Amino acid sequence: MFNFLVYNKFKFRKWEKLSPQQRLEVFQKLEVIQAKKLGRPVAYVEPKEMDAYSKGFFSSQQNTIYLNKQYFFEDYLRFDGMFTLFHEGRHAYQHHVVFQTQNAGIFSKARKWKKNFEGYIKGNMDEYSFYSMQPIERDANRYALKRLKQFSFRFRYDSMFARTVEYEEMCLDGDKLKARKDLGFFYKQKIAKKQEQNRKNFG
């Protein structure tokens, strides 16, 4: 499979001609490429009915990346869908690292991610800063934005690509500013404390 043929499907003149089922096939092929790059098992990609504020999620039990159904019907959301696939694919990688690593060092990513999964803070508006600044969420957002920006030359003439990158950059920076405003200068310590409380409650 030539990767560039998959990437080019996201160009508007090609994407607009694809049916929802064909778009699912493109997302699945992109996931295959993504999994190979990260050295993890390939996840299934499935559309799912979600509210407008939910983009997707990864289920480790089903090894499935669920994407908001809108991504398969709304042309202008194709790069948002790409970003979300990269984000959720990174979560798949985090799970892979955590459960494949034996005797992780105290300062290793595997150990930090494992503690985060065990005390995961779910996303809701009341605790958004706790959710968005968790290590695994921060890592997934940074990774997804980095991957998206690698296509800047390929989609340099697509205004929706530029808008998506700009929006995700704004969100990444905005989350940090919001956390400082909501939780104070020592927000990282507060998030770690809440994760530890969740670990004890879940345990």
Side-chain angles (χ1 to χ4, degrees), residues 88-106:
E88 300 305 335
R90 184 67 172 183
H91 283 325
Y93 170 74
Q94 292 164 349
H95 275 275
H96 179 69
V97 169
V98 165
F99 296 107
Q100 291 296 317
T101 302
Q102 301 295 326
N103 301 317
I106 191 170

Side-chain angles (χ1 to χ4, degrees), residues 77-200:
L77 291 175
R78 63 194 182 284
F79 295 117
D80 195 29
M82 180 185 280
F83 176 90
T84 302
L85 185 73
F86 289 150
H87 177 103
E88 300 305 335
R90 184 67 172 183
H91 283 325
Y93 170 74
Q94 292 164 349
H95 275 275
H96 179 69
V97 169
V98 165
F99 296 107
Q100 291 296 317
T101 302
Q102 301 295 326
N103 301 317
I106 191 170
F107 297 114
S108 67
K109 283 186 176 180
R111 187 180 180 89
K112 181 170 66 174
W113 290 345
K114 185 174 187 294
K115 289 178 67 177
N116 195 167
F117 281 127
E118 291 174 347
Y120 187 73
I121 304 167
K122 295 182 179 180
N124 61 65
M125 296 310 295
D126 293 334
E127 297 186 321
Y128 180 77
S129 289
F130 283 106
Y131 162 76
S132 66
M133 295 302 291
Q134 294 177 95
I136 58 174
E137 292 300 336
R138 197 71 176 162
D139 174 77
N141 279 327
R142 284 173 174 159
Y143 177 81
L145 180 58
K146 178 182 176 181
R147 283 287 290 129
L148 195 67
K149 291 172 75 173
Q150 289 174 348
F151 296 99
S152 294
F153 183 78
R154 184 179 301 276
F155 302 117
R156 62 193 181 280
Y157 300 123
D158 195 313
S159 61
M160 288 312 305
F161 177 82
R163 290 181 189 179
T164 303
V165 170
E166 182 180 4
Y167 174 76
E168 296 302 341
E169 286 179 327
M170 181 182 67
C171 288
L172 197 64
D173 292 337
D175 286 346
K176 188 173 183 178
L177 293 173
K178 181 173 173 56
R180 285 181 175 175
K181 180 180 179 182
D182 293 347
L183 307 177
F185 186 77
F186 298 103
Y187 65 88
K188 290 183 180 179
Q189 288 87 338
K190 290 184 178 180
I191 292 171
K193 183 177 180 180
K194 186 168 183 61
Q195 285 178 17
E196 188 60 31
Q197 291 173 343
N198 282 357
R199 287 180 69 199
K200 291 178 180 178

